[in-house]
Amino acid sequence: MLFRRIYQFLIVYCLGLACLLGIKQVLTLSDYVIPGVPLILETAGRVSQGYLFDVFNTLSVTILGQIISILMAFTVGILGRKSSWAGSFIKVMAYNIQAYPIVALAPIIFILLGDGFLSRLLIASMICYFPLLLSVLGVMAVPVKDIEHFYIATGRMRWQLEVKIRAFENLSKLTTVIAGSATLAMAGTIVAEFIAANAGIGYSIRIALYQSDLAGILVALFMIGIVISIYQGMLETLGEQVKTKWSAPKGGELL
């Protein structure tokens, strides 16, 4: 699964680069507008090491932001799973907050917190959080009637057991959403760094943009794609292991 993610990215990146170079040839554009392959390779040799450290810097914020968003989404999802007034209020509040685009809120965040680590972390968490929340709310709000009825009838139902049952029955959906949220968390971090930050690959892309260095931007996109593909592939592999362990904990027999 990890290697599949990598070669899928390489195919998409190469196709995009081929289209860009095709436009360059058709319109006979100079290297200043669209860089040729030699210039891209020369730029890669010059900036790759620095960009790699920048990507890992961004990835560290991404992972932490994703962890925070997962904890927040499950907390709100569990609290809002009931059809009571409190549960409905939590869901409506979550939906209303989602209506505000994060890019519009980003300037407020930077004004209050500055352009350091906390701003990057908060924006990454918020962008990653809302899709996770919708999925978790959808899972936790729908009863698994065939299973839950037995525990309710025997008086053994507790909220912890209810959450476990619903999470287990929708484990495939939850693991897929969590793995997919890695891309959103990475994008959120890069957006935060691009708007106003002093570190990370988004900050490096902003510098390259101001210098009209398209070759540097292409190298940065390659670095981002490779790293996020590896990270997402690892999450998907971990998700498959969790599903296998939960589904067949003893002797290979399904629950």
Side-chain angles (χ1 to χ4, degrees):
M1 190 170 293
L2 175 61
F3 293 106
R4 184 178 66 185
R5 279 289 177 188
I6 294 174
Y7 75 68
Q8 285 175 343
F9 162 72
L10 291 175
I11 291 173
V12 172
Y13 182 85
C14 289
L15 286 175
L17 185 60
C19 290
L20 197 62
L21 295 175
I23 294 173
K24 174 183 172 66
Q25 293 298 322
V26 170
L27 301 179
T28 61
L29 300 175
S30 67
D31 285 351
Y32 179 79
V33 180
I34 298 179
V37 174
L39 180 57
I40 295 174
L41 295 177
E42 186 273 330
T43 303
R46 175 169 50 85
V47 302
S48 289
Q49 184 175 358
Y51 278 8
L52 186 61
F53 285 115
D54 289 337
V55 172
F56 283 128
N57 184 302
T58 300
L59 183 64
S60 64
V61 180
T62 296
I63 295 173
L64 186 55
Q66 188 181 16
I67 292 172
I68 293 173
S69 65
I70 291 171
L71 294 176
M72 290 172 57
F74 273 89
T75 300
V76 176
I78 291 171
L79 292 175
R81 74 189 187 282
K82 297 293 186 180
S83 58
S84 61
W85 181 90
S88 299
F89 177 77
I90 291 173
K91 285 186 282 189
V92 169
M93 183 174 62
Y95 297 150
N96 287 340
I97 294 174
Q98 186 190 7
Y100 294 97
I102 302 302
V103 175
L105 297 176
I108 300 175
I109 294 173
F110 284 117
I111 290 172
L112 296 176
L113 300 179
D115 58 358
F117 172 78
L118 287 178
S119 297
R120 298 160 64 198
L121 180 62
L122 181 58
I123 293 176
S125 301
M126 292 176 68
I127 289 180
C128 184
Y129 163 72
F130 291 122
L132 275 172
L133 176 63
L134 294 179
S135 298
V136 174
L137 278 174
V139 167
M140 293 300 171
V142 179
V144 185
K145 295 181 179 179
D146 294 339
I147 300 176
E148 292 181 20
H149 175 73
F150 169 77
Y151 291 101
I152 293 173
T154 56
R156 297 165 57 190
M157 178 60 77
R158 300 291 184 272
W159 72 266
Q160 297 94 331
L161 181 58
E162 182 181 84
V163 169
K164 289 179 181 178
I165 291 172
R166 296 179 186 183
F168 176 78
E169 290 298 314
N170 296 274
L171 188 59
S172 178
K173 180 179 180 180
L174 290 175
T175 54
T176 300
V177 169
I178 290 173
S181 68
T183 304
L184 292 173
M186 189 73 163
T189 309
I190 294 173
V191 167
E193 293 167 350
F194 185 86
I195 295 175
N198 52 13
I201 192 64
Y203 175 68
S204 297
I205 291 177
R206 186 177 67 180
I207 293 175
L209 177 63
Y210 290 162
Q211 297 174 346
S212 298
D213 185 8
L214 182 56
I217 295 174
L218 292 174
V219 174
L221 293 177
F222 179 81
M223 294 283 188
I224 293 169
I226 285 292
V227 171
I228 195 62
S229 296
I230 294 173
Y231 176 53
Q232 197 167 26
M234 293 171 61
L235 287 179
E236 290 176 345
T237 302
L238 181 62
E240 290 296 327
Q241 293 175 350
V242 170
K243 285 189 288 186
T244 302
K245 184 177 180 180
W246 275 39
S247 300
K250 294 182 180 179
E253 297 180 358
L254 297 177
L255 290 176

